[in-house]
Amino acid sequence: MHNSNINSKTLLTLKNITKSFSGFYALKNVDLEIHKGKCLGLVGHNGAGKSTLMNILSGILQSDSGDISINGHKYKSGYTTASARSEGVYCVFQELSLCENLTVTENIVYDLRGLPSFSWKKTVAACIKEKLEEIFPNNHINVNSPVEELNLSQKQMIEIARGFLEYSREVKILILDEPTSALDSTSSQQLLDYINSVKEKGVSTIFISHRLDEVLACSDDIAIMRDGEVIERVMASDVSKHDIIDKMGQMEVLSTATDEKIVKKSDATVDSKSGRYLITSKQDKDNILKIKLAEGEVVGLAGLAGQGQTEFLYQLLFKSNDYNIDSDCVFVAGDRKKDGIFPLWSIENNASINVLKKIKNNVIINAKKENRVSERWKKITDLKTNNLKNNILSLSGGNQQKILFARALESDSTIVLMDDPTRGVDVGTKRDIYSLIKKEATKGRSFMWYSTEIDELYLCDRVYVFLEGEVVAVLNGDEISEKNILSNSFVKI
């Protein structure tokens, strides 16, 4: 492994960290150093071992072997979450950990010490509000609101702000595991700017993301993982996105979304090839731009996060009276923890739940048929598991997302509603998903696709830009551009 020459103080060293699950090695003799006041980018495909390594650093998992040295203290064993916190190590997890029934302020309080007895709520509210505004200016989050009333992007912002909060504690190392996966481009840039600003205060960050442009924008150096090992460490200034993917071992599938354009149409009205529209807005509000989805189309939903895109998808899913819906719909959740996976079930059960009619004999599920379905999708999506009978939570977040996508495409539903479906998915799998969408659209399947990644919107035949719960712009064909999307995302025309 090549180590970059960094002159800053070594704050933490991981040496020979190994971890296995049921005979499957998630980590193999991993060595890693973290430097004070630096951002380390950690990249690799889904299942490469990134989250497992960070769970060990956070004290949630115990390594089978290896040492952790931090702030001059060496741990051969007994390194726990309490140890991590005492050393100033905190983590913002990819899977959100907020309690939905509590307010934002109430979610923050248990993490802090030394609060005043009677005015704790006011103190905590002021602290988290200030930190949110510091990282995400103009976020419009009410810290006294129950978390369940917030959208996924706002929840992500709260998790991030809580991680950086320093009331009664010193944050020395903050792990950010896919922190921008639910954020739009504006909020993501705000976070990247903040990460760069805290370096001057000596705060170190570990930034894990499949959005490689973002990794390059905030990292000082980058550790590349593959199959449970750190295969190389490079200076961020010395590599490009193509270089990183090449080192990850997947250069042959590198492609931007624009290379996978689903259907090229010159007609700005984007009429259905069959003349059949599966979704149309009812004509009851003449001042509102109408939404249409034709057979075989891929239609994108754009705009800043939290502007009503997800709520619109739910309206379609539950057959709102505001729309004419001429087919069955299936849903790919963006918030997989809340709306996607069945956490007590196996990978196999999660993959096949939408197609019980296909896999049962009378009223009994045929185990062989169920296994054939899941094995096929394991191969198609390159799922990282050694046993489909394992619990769904044994998979990384990105691999869980693959299962949700497989579940939807295995169904017979003609309309696929997608709420940021590639959240936390690596670049190779994204390419595979794009190809699957293209193939299914060619067969006549239709997709309504909300994405926080502008590149993915280039895949669409038409894009509707949302602002404050309404469609404020319709972009067709060559009109779909970052400039047009962003210019319509802030001001109603």
Side-chain angles (χ1 to χ4, degrees), residues 335-355:
D335 189 347
R336 54 181 166 267
K337 184 178 179 181
K338 179 184 176 184
D339 302 319
I341 64 169
F342 294 91
L344 299 181
W345 292 8
S346 69
I347 301 167
E348 193 168 74
N349 294 155
N350 269 275
S352 61
I353 184 62
N354 272 356
V355 291

Side-chain angles (χ1 to χ4, degrees), residues 298-455:
V298 180
V299 170
L301 309 179
L304 300 177
Q307 298 301 307
Q309 301 94 331
T310 298
E311 290 77 7
F312 166 69
L313 291 175
Y314 279 125
Q315 283 186 302
L316 298 182
L317 182 64
F318 295 111
K319 302 293 180 73
S320 166
N321 290 329
D322 291 334
Y323 303 94
N324 296 309
I325 303 171
D326 191 24
S327 188
D328 290 334
C329 300
V330 66
F331 185 67
V332 182
D335 189 347
R336 54 181 166 267
K337 184 178 179 181
K338 179 184 176 184
D339 302 319
I341 64 169
F342 294 91
L344 299 181
W345 292 8
S346 69
I347 301 167
E348 193 168 74
N349 294 155
N350 269 275
S352 61
I353 184 62
N354 272 356
V355 291
L356 294 181
K357 290 183 179 179
K358 288 184 182 179
I359 63 173
K360 69 179 184 179
N361 296 332
N362 295 320
V363 295
I364 304 299
I365 292 176
N366 185 307
K368 289 184 178 179
K369 290 181 180 179
E370 183 180 38
N371 183 254
R372 279 198 294 269
V373 168
S374 53
E375 283 287 354
R376 182 161 60 84
W377 283 104
K378 177 186 176 183
K379 183 177 180 180
I380 291 171
T381 62
D382 190 27
L383 194 69
K384 301 297 182 184
T385 182
N386 62 337
N387 190 344
L388 290 166
K389 303 292 185 184
N390 288 343
N391 184 273
I392 185 72
L393 296 180
S394 68
L395 298 178
S396 67
N399 278 293
Q400 290 176 30
Q401 199 70 19
K402 293 178 186 180
I403 290 296
L404 299 188
F405 201 89
R407 179 199 297 171
L409 290 190
E410 182 65 25
S411 76
D412 293 327
S413 298
T414 308
I415 300 171
V416 182
L417 308 174
M418 306 191 298
D419 186 15
D420 220 3
T422 63
R423 178 173 175 251
V425 174
D426 64 58
V427 64
T429 305
K430 284 183 180 180
R431 174 64 187 271
D432 293 339
I433 288 174
Y434 302 155
S435 296
L436 282 170
I437 294 172
K438 181 178 180 179
K439 181 179 178 181
E440 294 293 316
T442 302
K443 294 178 184 177
R445 210 167 204 172
S446 303
F447 295 81
M448 190 69 80
W449 184 355
Y450 169 49
S451 177
T452 54
E453 297 190 41
I454 287 179
D455 275 358

Side-chain angles (χ1 to χ4, degrees), residues 439-482:
K439 181 179 178 181
E440 294 293 316
T442 302
K443 294 178 184 177
R445 210 167 204 172
S446 303
F447 295 81
M448 190 69 80
W449 184 355
Y450 169 49
S451 177
T452 54
E453 297 190 41
I454 287 179
D455 275 358
E456 291 188 335
L457 297 171
Y458 292 131
L459 295 164
C460 301
D461 298 308
R462 181 167 63 263
V463 170
Y464 294 101
V465 183
F466 277 68
L467 179 60
E468 298 177 3
E470 296 180 359
V471 176
V472 294
V474 184
L475 306 176
N476 294 284
D478 293 338
E479 296 173 349
I480 302 171
S481 68
E482 182 174 11

Side-chain angles (χ1 to χ4, degrees), residues 108 112 127-128 131 160-167 169 171:
I108 304 301
L112 305 178
C127 286
I128 188 61
K131 185 59 69 173
I160 293 167
R162 180 171 68 174
F164 279 109
L165 202 61
E166 291 195 309
Y167 185 94
R169 69 184 194 184
V171 178

Side-chain angles (χ1 to χ4, degrees), residues 228-246:
E229 300 179 86
V230 176
I231 59 169
E232 192 166 359
R233 181 165 173 159
V234 295
M235 292 288 289
S237 58
D238 292 342
V239 292
S240 67
K241 181 168 67 173
H242 288 247
D243 295 330
I244 295 172
I245 297 174
D246 190 21

Side-chain angles (χ1 to χ4, degrees), residues 55-89:
N55 282 334
I56 290 173
L57 178 53
S58 303
I60 295 171
L61 291 176
Q62 303 292 308
S63 63
D64 297 336
S65 60
D67 302 334
I68 298 176
S69 298
I70 180 169
N71 297 318
H73 305 143
K74 188 172 184 177
Y75 297 86
K76 281 187 171 292
S77 61
Y79 183 82
T80 64
T81 53
S83 306
R85 288 171 181 261
S86 69
E87 301 289 358
V89 178

